[in-house]
Amino acid sequence: MSQPPTFSLAPVGRQDIPQLAQIYTLVTLLDNALKLNYPTPTLCTQSITTLLQTQLGDPAWLHIKVVDEATNTVAAWASWVTVAETVKVGEEYAKGLDGYVQQEMDKMLVEWTKGERYMRCKACFVLPEFQGRGMGKALVGCGNEIADRERLPIFLLASPVGFPLYQKYGFQTLQDLDIDLKEWVKGDSDNKGYRNYRFRFMVKLPSDTSVR
């Protein structure tokens, strides 16, 4: 028999922002593509803290945390946003890799959403020491249940690490976005592991529909 989960899911409050920012920073700096967006860990933490402060309280956004019951630690979190307007491509984007990826993502969203309402999974992070315990699965399932109830598709851009999880729980790949990270590295990139990196633009449709 499988063991019951030893964690619980709960809505995020403003008091959780420092812990969520810490998780984001720790996981982001382990990813060769994501860490290129932040010159220092401090800037990474400051950036996500500002975003979370803006998003919390906005009814379009949903943030869910996972609490490990044994330690009462916030061990993981995810966020989704419901979008009811057409994405506008061509507006000013941030410089660097982050801006480029966002622009390419927006192009894909315009092509696939056709101006219809949808959800977008914007984040899903689990602390390394808590990975493999079903927390990521629980967060993905939480978002999927909400989207099915609202009859909305969920779109996301999956990293190589996140791709297997999303694929396992109902997401299908629509397009690949291949990036040569060496083109985005400032200075000497020898022996740093910067090579081709593949994002996957994915969708999870409501349970009784399929990609046409």
Side-chain angles (χ1 to χ4, degrees):
M1 295 178 61
S2 60
Q3 296 295 318
T6 56
F7 57 83
S8 59
L9 275 62
V12 168
R14 290 193 174 274
Q15 73 280 1
D16 299 312
I17 289 178
Q19 291 173 290
L20 270 56
Q22 181 182 38
I23 294 170
Y24 177 86
T25 301
L26 288 171
V27 177
T28 292
L29 296 181
L30 295 174
D31 185 286
N32 275 345
L34 299 181
K35 71 181 181 182
L36 289 177
N37 298 318
Y38 305 103
T40 67
T42 298
L43 287 175
C44 182
T45 300
Q46 291 174 344
S47 176
I48 188 61
T49 296
T50 300
L51 283 174
L52 288 169
Q53 289 172 339
T54 301
Q55 294 166 2
L56 287 175
D58 184 335
W61 283 88
L62 172 67
H63 298 77
I64 298 294
K65 64 182 177 181
V66 179
V67 179
D68 175 61
E69 294 180 353
T71 61
N72 200 34
T73 299
V74 177
W77 67 277
S79 67
W80 301 262
V81 61
T82 300
V83 181
E85 59 188 27
T86 302
V87 175
K88 296 179 180 179
V89 179
E91 297 182 347
E92 185 175 348
Y93 291 88
K95 295 181 179 179
L97 180 59
D98 187 42
Y100 171 75
V101 171
Q102 182 60 57
Q103 185 175 30
E104 294 302 305
M105 177 70 171
D106 285 351
K107 291 177 183 177
M108 296 177 196
L109 286 169
V110 168
E111 178 181 353
W112 288 94
T113 62
K114 309 298 184 184
E116 298 292 329
R117 188 165 168 261
Y118 63 92
M119 285 177 62
R120 182 174 170 189
C121 180
K122 292 284 290 183
C124 186
F125 297 100
V126 182
L127 282 172
E129 61 266 35
F130 291 98
Q131 291 175 6
R133 293 176 49 182
M135 295 181 180
K137 172 185 174 182
L139 287 169
V140 172
C142 177
N144 288 356
E145 288 179 9
I146 294 170
D148 282 347
R149 187 166 63 244
E150 298 292 326
R151 308 294 304 136
L152 295 176
I154 307 179
F155 291 90
L156 58 81
L157 197 63
S159 69
V161 172
F163 168 69
L165 175 67
Y166 297 122
Q167 185 179 49
K168 185 175 182 180
Y169 293 103
F171 285 81
Q172 302 175 62
T173 300
L174 298 176
Q175 291 179 234
D176 293 336
L177 177 59
D178 289 308
I179 297 174
D180 184 353
L181 295 182
K182 291 181 180 179
E183 297 180 358
W184 298 93
V185 178
K186 296 180 180 179
D188 183 11
S189 61
D190 290 343
N191 301 318
K192 290 185 179 179
Y194 293 109
R195 51 181 64 90
N196 189 69
Y197 187 103
R198 174 167 289 178
F199 286 106
R200 291 176 172 88
F201 180 56
M202 307 185 77
V203 65
K204 162 68 172 62
L205 297 178
S207 56
D208 61 349
T209 57
S210 61
V211 175
R212 290 180 288 179

